[in-house]
Amino acid sequence: MLYRVAIVGAGPSAYFAAQALHNLQNEDQIFAIDMVERLPTPWGLVRSGVAPDHPKIKTVSKVFEKIASDPNFRLFANVEIGSEISVAQLSERYDAVVIATGSSLGKRLGIPGENLYGSMSAADFVPWYNAHPDFANIEIPLDCDTAVVIGAGNVAMDVARMLSLEPTELDTTDTADHAISAFKNSKVRDVYTTARRGPEHAAFTSPELRELAKLEHTNVIMAKSDIENAVIRAGEAPEKDVKSNLDAMALIADSPKTNHDRSMHFLFEHRPKEIVGTDRVEGIVYTTPLGDVTIECGLVITAIGYQASAIDGVPYESGKVVNIEGHVKKNIYVVGWAKRGPSGVIGTNKSDAAAVVELLVSGLSQPKNNGDISDLIGNQIVVDQSAWQRINEAEVAAGELVGKPRRKAVLREDLLHLGGL
Ligand code: NAP
């Protein structure tokens, strides 16, 4: 029997759901997968989230392309679900629909001054430097000497690193051209990453902390007393991850100071109270154990987590799709960050998607045989797998000429042009 499954979104959890379906195929059940993506390019956060100076993490895209090479896989990129085509229409036509739309909206602090020019979310800044077409034109005020990043997770770390790297180090990466040139003109020299709790509660992971020691042109500064006090608070038998993080932070705190003109500073127990300024950000006030402290700065980037954006016809609550173990309602399922919230690394989505797909398959009865998305598309220009391959190859070829793994096209029309559309 042939079942048709629509997957909405083309990021890691979408591909892992397709892979899990593929793995469950046998003589009795074949799965034809249509993956639908609103951007002209697939790969989700692997293209627009992962930091450009982390090329190894992006090699998972080879797995995605292998999954896409299955003859029963079709890509429908540049097609948005929720506006012209509804989830309900997909649900009528397909045996199952899997929502894999991630969490694209940055959580907000909810403090005064958050709307000032110069205060923004990592949910805008990260796709901007990663060449996401919707963020190409946002303005990032890099004309100040000090920037602040709020949050103690890996996104905060990526953002702080991108702001404080010597920008020529990005020449050999797939950072958007517009971002490399903005970083080269940037006046920012001090970047403060601030955590509202102590180092023992930081959400950074230790490989990311250890990597900071390898920065060749940036000082990395943590106060030794912060780490020593955290070690005491963590007690004799801290969890493995906490110990590993504290060990990595102790190494940073102990490392000899250098004279680079760029510095990354880490401040703990700094709870944001108010962003101040008249026409633009001029500083941020924190509540700390020693009283209120102000850091003068011209840019504040919050990296305090994400929430899913809603799609019509799919119930949402607390930034996630309402679901029970991945089942939403009827033949609709959800995987990845849209299901469980923004946690875990890319690989976490593999086991998560496999479990949801098992549930999905157990709920199948007779195939519907009731059409597919091509009945609904109309005049929309679709980037299918071969058009995407043309885009992919053109970007990689353009990168090769200048010593980069790829040179990304940014604007939708440029991407479509590369796809021959
Ligand atoms: P995260 O790991 O959940 O970290 C969020 C941080 O924001 C926490 O330190 C949290 O502090 C802080 N925070 C939340 N609300 C706050 C508030 N109102 N005021 C101040 N601070 C606040 O989230 P993320 O950094 O967005 O990362 C999302 C996921 O992607 C994580 O699993 C991460 O590991 C993963 N990721 C991995 C990589 C990599 O492998 N290289 C790169 C990027 C992202 P509290 O703990 O006090 O709440």
Side-chain angles (χ1 to χ4, degrees):
M1 283 189 282
L2 183 115
Y3 293 98
R4 295 193 173 283
V5 179
I7 301 180
V8 183
S13 66
Y15 281 101
F16 287 133
Q19 187 183 47
L21 282 164
H22 179 80
N23 291 344
L24 290 177
Q25 291 193 117
N26 56 39
E27 285 170 3
D28 298 330
Q29 56 185 23
I30 304 284
F31 297 108
I33 293 159
D34 288 345
M35 189 176 280
V36 193
E37 161 63 48
R38 61 180 283 272
L39 291 179
T41 53
W43 299 359
L45 279 187
V46 169
R47 183 174 169 100
S48 15
V50 173
D53 61 335
H54 281 165
K56 261 199 198 152
I57 298 181
K58 299 188 192 211
T59 55
V60 70
S61 58
K62 291 205 177 93
V63 177
F64 301 164
E65 288 309 294
K66 173 105 195 326
I67 295 164
S69 68
D70 187 295
N72 281 323
F73 177 99
R74 295 191 298 179
L75 178 68
F76 291 82
N78 204 38
V79 176
E80 182 153 7
I81 300 299
S83 47
E84 282 174 28
I85 302 175
S86 68
V87 172
Q89 285 174 307
L90 293 181
S91 164
E92 278 163 22
R93 283 167 178 77
Y94 285 84
D95 295 298
V97 178
V98 179
I99 307 292
T101 45
S103 311
S104 56
L105 306 175
K107 282 193 184 148
R108 294 182 55 84
L109 284 169
I111 60 170
E114 204 175 0
N115 293 329
L116 280 168
Y117 175 73
S119 157
M120 63 190 309
S121 167
D124 295 340
F125 182 67
V126 171
W128 168 76
Y129 64 61
N130 275 327
H132 188 303
D134 295 353
F135 297 87
N137 295 321
I138 62 169
E139 237 183 280
I140 320 275
L142 296 170
D143 55 347
C144 49
D145 54 15
T146 303
V148 162
V149 183
I150 299 174
N154 285 333
V155 171
M157 177 89 88
D158 284 348
V159 166
R161 222 178 43 252
M162 289 299 286
L163 283 168
S164 50
L165 275 173
E166 158 57 47
T168 52
E169 291 183 49
L170 297 173
D171 284 338
T172 53
T173 71
D174 65 2
T175 309
D177 288 352
H178 61 244
I180 295 186
S181 99
F183 286 133
K184 285 185 175 166
N185 290 321
S186 167
K187 301 260 184 311
V188 173
R189 293 296 177 269
D190 287 285
V191 179
Y192 288 84
T193 302
T194 67
R196 63 179 169 179
R197 298 193 283 161
E200 71 278 27
H201 298 292
F204 308 128
T205 47
S206 56
E208 278 62 32
L209 283 163
R210 287 180 197 280
E211 182 195 64
L212 295 179
K214 296 181 202 143
L215 293 179
E216 285 182 23
H217 305 282
T218 309
N219 306 306
V220 184
I221 301 166
M222 281 188 195
K224 204 169 171 179
S225 56
D226 281 350
I227 314 304
E228 285 170 347
N229 291 334
V231 169
I232 295 168
R233 286 193 299 266
E236 300 235 314
E239 278 178 30
K240 195 166 151 245
D241 291 351
V242 173
K243 174 156 184 0
S244 178
N245 263 6
L246 290 174
D247 287 349
M249 291 194 232
L251 281 177
I252 294 172
D254 274 339
S255 62
K257 297 295 160 258
T258 47
N259 282 328
H260 304 309
D261 72 340
R262 296 169 194 272
S263 300
M264 274 177 101
H265 309 255
F266 287 82
L267 299 175
F268 295 94
E269 297 185 86
H270 276 57
R271 187 170 289 273
K273 182 178 178 189
E274 183 179 3
I275 299 173
V276 291
T278 41
D279 298 333
R280 62 170 289 176
V281 171
E282 289 167 23
I284 172 162
V285 184
Y286 289 97
T287 304
T288 79
L290 302 176
D292 283 2
V293 168
T294 302
I295 299 178
E296 285 178 20
C297 60
L299 175 64
V300 171
I301 300 182
T302 47
I304 59 169
Y306 292 84
Q307 50 194 23
S309 65
I311 304 182
D312 272 355
V314 180
Y316 276 83
E317 201 174 71
S318 312
K320 291 185 275 191
V321 173
V322 179
N323 73 91
I324 297 174
E325 315 242 326
H327 183 230
V328 181
K329 59 179 180 180
K330 296 187 198 154
N331 61 347
I332 304 173
Y333 295 80
V334 61
V335 293
W337 280 10
K339 167 186 173 240
R340 62 175 199 280
S343 66
V345 293
I346 287 167
T348 314
N349 294 301
K350 192 169 174 177
S351 49
D352 182 83
V356 176
V357 160
E358 248 182 67
L359 187 68
L360 177 161
V361 171
S362 70
L364 291 172
S365 49
Q366 285 302 307
K368 273 190 181 157
N369 223 347
N370 194 27
D372 61 40
I373 190 167
S374 23
D375 312 335
L376 305 166
I377 277 179
N379 297 330
Q380 180 67 28
I381 299 172
V382 177
V383 176
D384 62 10
Q385 183 63 20
S386 34
W388 158 239
Q389 274 164 357
R390 287 191 288 275
I391 298 173
N392 193 11
E393 280 161 19
E395 286 189 338
V396 170
E400 260 170 28
L401 296 175
V402 287
K404 297 173 188 283
R406 80 170 55 237
R407 193 168 183 193
K408 287 178 181 169
V410 183
L411 302 178
R412 279 170 188 265
E413 56 264 34
D414 294 343
L415 287 161
L416 294 180
H417 177 72
L418 292 183
L421 299 165

